[in-house]
Amino acid sequence: MNRFKTVLIDKSALDYPLTELLLDELPDIAHHVISTDEAVTRLRGIHPDASCLPKAKKTLLITRNTGSFLKSMATDPGITDRSRSESFRFEILQGCSMDCRYCFCQQYLSCHHSVVFSNPEDSLLELASSHPLRLVTGDISDSLVLGRLSIVIHDYLSALISDDSIIELRSKCILPDNWHLLKNNVFELDWSITVPDQWRLNEPGTASPLQRIESAATAAKAGFKVGIRFDPLQPERIDKKAYYLILKHLYEAMKPMKPRAFTVGSYKMSCELLEIIRHRFPHNPLPGVEWSRCSDGKIRPFKLTRVYSYRTIVNLIEEIFPTVPVYLSMEPSYVLNFFKS
Ligand code: SF4
């Protein structure tokens, strides 16, 4: 899924082995070597070509991460999310060309190129001192959005981590054709899935829900632990029939395998992000949804809407996958308690 018109390489990243491996995969795309100063101005979003959406997404920038590679994903202490509190974002990828309408990277990142930091070996001291057990690469990017390049990057990364660490990939893409390079004792693969209407409306650059299910089934049958994320759910009361059909299709495609877990969550917005969506996608209905501000400062659908949607989807999951655990993503205890009651 290489969607680039331009590949830029920071001069200081040229000698890293991963840069060379990536260029081997891109024989037909012209690349340009740029100065480290230019790479920095692009990363900071000062260079106009890096901040301009959506045009900036057509560029792949290969550079060095000169800061920390690890970022704890633990959230506000009042917000519960077991999988985030145990995970560290590993900053090897940044930015995503798929341009989902609600993507928080539109606000969070200054640079909208797809960025690969090709010096993960420079994180070895940091990895050794932190000894993180679960690394996630699909938080400010999609782990598989670079297609074959994504697999090359993760295969390279897997040689650097300790034997007891897991790398979690999170994606809305199909498996690239070189996916067999990934080892099923190192990688866990999570697919985020939504219903067809929401996919067309808010995730038009991603693989279709059915394609994602086929990839999830392929991975599960190859021995990978596969997680399924219904996050975000539809912002208003969810379409129960559409989710039922998705779950039935997932069941049929995966059998006799099952997901290791389901993660269910709601939209998490900010006023700034809603303004960006309104400006960039004037016909998108998300800014018109009724939102409520939560204690962590994020904006979510109203509590009763979320609880109704969670109950509906959990009941469906328990009907079709009765033994598979379900977790809620980033919710305060008053919602979890309500949900349990
Ligand atoms: S796939 Fe994820 S990172 Fe990529 S645009 Fe969509 S929400 Fe953002």
Side-chain angles (χ1 to χ4, degrees):
M1 201 179 287
N2 295 330
R3 307 160 184 233
F4 312 114
K5 288 200 167 146
T6 310
V7 178
L8 302 176
I9 307 165
D10 171 358
K11 192 165 177 251
S12 71
L14 267 177
D15 292 336
Y16 281 88
L18 181 54
T19 303
E20 205 171 312
L21 292 172
L22 296 177
L23 292 181
D24 287 347
E25 288 286 334
L26 295 166
D28 302 328
I29 303 182
H31 59 269
H32 309 278
V33 177
I34 59 172
S35 69
T36 299
D37 282 351
E38 182 178 337
V40 170
T41 60
R42 284 178 182 266
L43 278 177
R44 291 182 182 164
I46 298 167
H47 196 297
D49 291 353
S51 56
C52 173
L53 280 169
K55 197 173 145 207
K57 290 177 178 283
K58 296 285 179 198
T59 296
L60 172 67
L61 171 62
I62 302 175
T63 183
R64 283 185 312 135
N65 183 349
T66 54
S68 172
F69 272 87
L70 292 178
K71 182 175 183 299
S72 167
M73 293 177 72
T75 46
D76 183 296
I79 300 292
T80 303
D81 190 319
R82 210 191 66 178
S83 75
R84 285 186 79 87
S85 62
E86 293 171 350
S87 302
F88 284 78
R89 187 163 88 205
F90 190 83
E91 303 239 351
I92 195 167
L93 297 172
Q94 172 184 308
C96 175
S97 57
M98 294 195 287
D99 211 12
C100 298
R101 300 322 186 223
Y102 56 82
C103 181
F104 84 108
C105 293
Q106 296 174 91
Q107 180 197 351
Y108 183 78
L109 297 176
S110 307
C111 170
H112 297 295
H113 295 329
S114 291
V115 179
V116 179
F117 296 110
S118 65
N119 59 326
E121 49 272 70
D122 291 346
S123 70
L124 286 178
L125 271 179
E126 200 184 351
L127 283 170
S129 60
S130 313
H131 196 73
L133 293 179
R134 180 172 284 271
L135 302 173
V136 175
T137 60
D139 191 43
I140 52 171
S141 181
D142 180 291
S143 299
L144 298 179
V145 68
L146 300 181
R148 290 180 59 89
L149 301 187
S150 297
I151 302 297
V152 170
I153 291 163
H154 287 96
D155 180 42
Y156 188 82
L157 174 59
S158 67
L160 303 175
I161 63 167
S162 62
D163 289 345
D164 54 352
S165 293
I166 291 292
I167 303 175
E168 181 183 321
L169 308 191
R170 294 185 181 178
S171 187
K172 296 186 180 85
C173 297
I174 56 170
L175 278 171
D177 59 17
N178 56 346
W179 67 271
H180 292 97
L181 288 174
L182 301 180
K183 297 175 192 69
N184 61 13
N185 60 339
V186 176
F187 291 94
E188 292 185 8
L189 284 73
D190 277 23
W191 270 273
S192 173
I193 296 178
T194 190
V195 292
D197 281 1
Q198 288 298 300
W199 165 59
R200 286 187 206 97
L201 188 63
N202 290 318
E203 305 172 354
T206 62
S208 74
L210 297 190
Q211 287 175 313
R212 294 181 224 175
I213 287 173
E214 293 307 319
S215 284
T218 300
K221 289 172 185 171
F224 289 89
K225 288 184 179 167
V226 169
I228 300 295
R229 308 180 73 86
F230 290 120
D231 183 14
L233 293 172
Q234 287 167 283
E236 290 160 311
R237 291 196 162 198
I238 64 171
D239 179 345
K240 183 175 175 184
K241 187 171 174 207
Y243 279 94
Y244 174 80
L245 291 174
I246 284 284
L247 280 160
K248 282 300 269 186
H249 193 89
L250 182 67
Y251 179 84
E252 291 299 328
M254 278 189 120
K255 71 182 182 189
M257 313 307 292
K258 293 186 175 61
R260 71 176 166 85
F262 287 92
T263 304
V264 179
S266 295
Y267 276 96
K268 294 159 268 286
M269 294 293 200
S270 68
C271 293
E272 293 79 6
L273 179 54
L274 288 170
E275 273 312 301
I276 292 171
I277 296 169
R278 194 189 297 277
H279 174 72
R280 291 195 62 216
F281 309 107
H283 300 296
N284 189 285
L286 284 172
V289 170
E290 289 193 305
W291 302 97
S292 62
R293 184 180 291 276
C294 301
S295 53
D296 61 349
K298 292 189 171 56
I299 296 175
R300 295 176 173 84
F302 282 177
K303 181 178 78 175
L304 289 181
T305 305
R306 280 151 46 217
V307 170
Y308 172 86
S309 294
Y310 294 154
R311 280 202 168 130
T312 304
I313 192 92
V314 171
N315 287 345
L316 289 175
I317 293 170
E318 285 176 351
E319 180 187 329
I320 298 169
F321 292 99
T323 57
V324 179
V326 186
Y327 302 105
L328 291 194
S329 160
M330 295 175 74
E331 282 290 359
S333 54
Y334 61 81
V335 167
L336 299 181
N337 295 339
F338 203 117
F339 171 69
K340 283 174 192 156
S341 65

